[in-house]
Amino acid sequence: MKILLLGSGGREHALARSLAADPSVSELHAAPGNPGIGRLATLHSLDPSSPAVVVEAAQRLGVDLVVIGPEAPLVAGVADALREAGIDAFGPGREAAVLEGSKAFAKDVMRAAGVPTADARVCETAEQAAAALDEFGAPYVVKNDALAAGKGVVVTDDREAALAHAASCGRVVIEDYLDGPEVSLFAICDGERALPLLPAQDYKRVGDGDAGPNTGGMGAYSPLAWADPGLTDQIMDEVIAPTLAEMRRRGTPFIGLLYAGLALTSKGLRVVEFNVRFGDPETQAVLALLETPLAGVLRAAARGELDSVGELDWREGAAVVVVSAAAGYPGTPAAAGAIVLPDDEDDAYVLHAGTRLDGGLLVAAGGRVLGTVGRGADVEEARARAYGILSRVEYADGFHRSDIGVPH
Ligand code: GLY
């Protein structure tokens, strides 16, 4: 099978690693990719969010499947254009991608599907925002209605900061704060059926102990030894299945990765948000444990044939990924810091997230720069291996959290 993978982050490096290890994959292409992905795939410098450009490349390369990593190409309709051209695509069409593209739309789908989520108000003016903040009280949860690269959500006790975020966004969703631990569950969907991956937990705040502003994610681990063993089935029954049914009823079946971000509150589980693509960095931990060859599963989903795939097989144990970010992140990150990486090991390796080659030398090129992955018999061993290899990474301009893998 020939595959084109779209995207350039740590999530895509993890996807490329799994796809390259699948014996059914004869050629792996990536666009635009990064230097880590470039060791596994042929890189193509093209705009992954341009439907016409991606269709032309997929035809020229003769690929059997296009795997779409980030949300921007999905929202731009890249999956629709590929399907119209008769090319299998793993990722939802533009209308289904609105589940991530608009928080207000996602709330509407959840209401119609009976999926438990926080009570919310959609606000377009400062007056509406102020009224909603006062209705729900602190801590205030203000979400940009539109895509904001993981930085659209502000959770704060400071009413002025909440109002300022609402004013900077335009249309926002203000909602009730959900207590309890957060969980990410990914489901591979074929429009009708869904297969769950292992649940994971990510660390959204920039600093140890969940201090500081939200980021795209500073680390993750999987699975969740502390969670009820029935949690995945419960999420599939109460969240994923009714959402897929509602999307089908609306004539926009969901094909691709449905990511449910959930809070396990004192009143039961609640959806915090949906995303329509693999989560970053949870994917780096989850795929480290997947034993079933990935390409066949994604292709079956893209073709509406998930019934041909059995349950997924997983390694025993746990995986942890620790993100190294450039100083300044999630504000303006320090650019072009030099990086020297240790060799990968079986159970400890480095994924590239925002890197580039500069005259043959590896340098930082983004906010989140690297993800170091450790695997082990349990989360403690996985954590020790992830931090162990990270201690051998030379990246003076970078920083990382030191508490990834400690449940929170
Ligand atoms: N882990 C957060 C995200 O992928 O949006």
Side-chain angles (χ1 to χ4, degrees):
M1 190 185 333
K2 297 184 188 177
I3 295 185
L4 171 61
L5 170 66
L6 301 182
S8 62
R11 162 187 52 208
E12 286 78 25
H13 192 175
L15 283 163
R17 218 171 170 272
S18 293
L19 294 170
D22 182 334
S24 74
V25 176
S26 55
E27 274 180 35
L28 184 59
H29 299 270
N34 66 35
I37 298 171
R39 298 210 306 263
L40 304 165
T42 308
L43 300 188
H44 302 271
S45 169
L46 55 83
D47 177 3
S49 292
S50 165
V53 166
V54 173
V55 168
E56 188 281 323
Q59 285 170 331
R60 177 166 41 82
L61 298 169
V63 300
D64 305 292
L65 175 69
V66 178
V67 177
I68 304 171
E71 58 273 26
L74 298 166
V75 171
V78 168
D80 308 276
L82 288 163
R83 286 188 195 110
E84 276 158 29
I87 301 164
D88 289 333
F90 183 78
R94 191 164 43 80
E95 288 178 89
V98 182
L99 264 183
E100 175 166 353
S102 164
K103 303 292 176 208
F105 175 80
K107 285 283 179 194
D108 189 54
V109 169
M110 284 189 266
R111 224 180 346 259
V115 169
T117 185
D119 205 10
R121 305 282 170 264
V122 179
C123 305
E124 295 187 358
T125 66
E127 291 70 31
Q128 289 170 347
L133 293 175
D134 293 339
E135 179 185 351
F136 293 126
Y140 303 107
V141 182
V142 183
K143 297 181 172 178
N144 193 338
D145 181 48
L147 287 179
K151 294 186 209 150
V153 181
V154 163
V155 181
T156 176
D157 286 325
D158 180 345
R159 190 172 177 280
E160 289 310 307
L163 276 173
H165 183 59
S168 74
C169 295
R171 193 169 197 245
V172 291
V173 172
I174 292 179
E175 63 182 43
D176 212 4
Y177 176 74
L178 298 174
D179 62 353
E182 291 198 5
V183 167
S184 303
L185 187 81
F186 303 159
I188 293 175
C189 305
D190 74 352
E192 199 175 334
R193 289 158 290 254
L195 270 180
L197 304 188
L198 290 179
Q201 204 173 40
D202 82 342
Y203 296 73
K204 293 204 174 76
R205 301 272 180 169
V206 74
D208 282 0
D210 291 336
N214 263 335
T215 68
M218 294 298 291
Y221 70 97
S222 176
L224 309 178
W226 51 267
D228 184 306
L231 179 66
T232 296
D233 286 347
Q234 187 190 356
I235 298 168
M236 294 304 284
D237 292 347
E238 294 181 14
V239 176
I240 304 294
T243 301
L244 285 190
E246 175 63 17
M247 295 303 284
R248 228 174 29 251
R249 193 189 66 72
R250 292 177 182 225
T252 52
F254 189 94
I255 298 166
L257 197 288
L258 183 57
Y259 164 150
L262 304 130
L264 307 184
T265 77
S266 46
K267 296 182 201 144
L269 69 83
R270 300 279 186 277
V271 173
V272 177
E273 63 175 359
F274 282 129
N275 292 312
V276 299
R277 36 81 193 167
F278 284 93
D280 190 339
E282 297 97 310
T283 299
Q284 291 85 311
V286 171
L287 290 185
L289 299 171
L290 181 67
E291 288 195 323
T292 307
L294 182 63
V297 181
L298 300 187
R299 191 179 195 198
R303 300 171 78 107
E305 296 171 356
L306 263 191
D307 53 347
S308 67
V309 176
E311 298 238 316
L312 301 178
D313 293 326
W314 300 96
R315 253 177 206 255
E316 292 288 317
V320 170
V321 57
V322 182
V323 168
S324 295
Y329 178 77
T332 306
I339 301 166
V340 181
L341 297 179
D343 289 338
D344 287 347
E345 300 161 15
D346 276 351
D347 287 323
Y349 50 87
V350 182
L351 298 172
H352 295 231
T355 64
R356 68 182 167 83
L357 288 171
D358 183 2
L361 297 176
L362 192 64
V363 297
R368 292 186 293 173
V369 176
L370 302 169
T372 50
V373 178
R375 270 192 300 232
D378 53 25
V379 75
E380 286 73 28
E381 191 174 51
R383 180 167 192 270
R385 289 192 175 136
Y387 279 106
I389 191 161
L390 179 49
S391 70
R392 299 193 293 283
V393 169
E394 293 174 35
Y395 173 35
D397 285 351
F399 72 95
H400 57 267
R401 279 182 64 158
S402 63
D403 58 353
I404 306 299
V406 178
H408 67 153

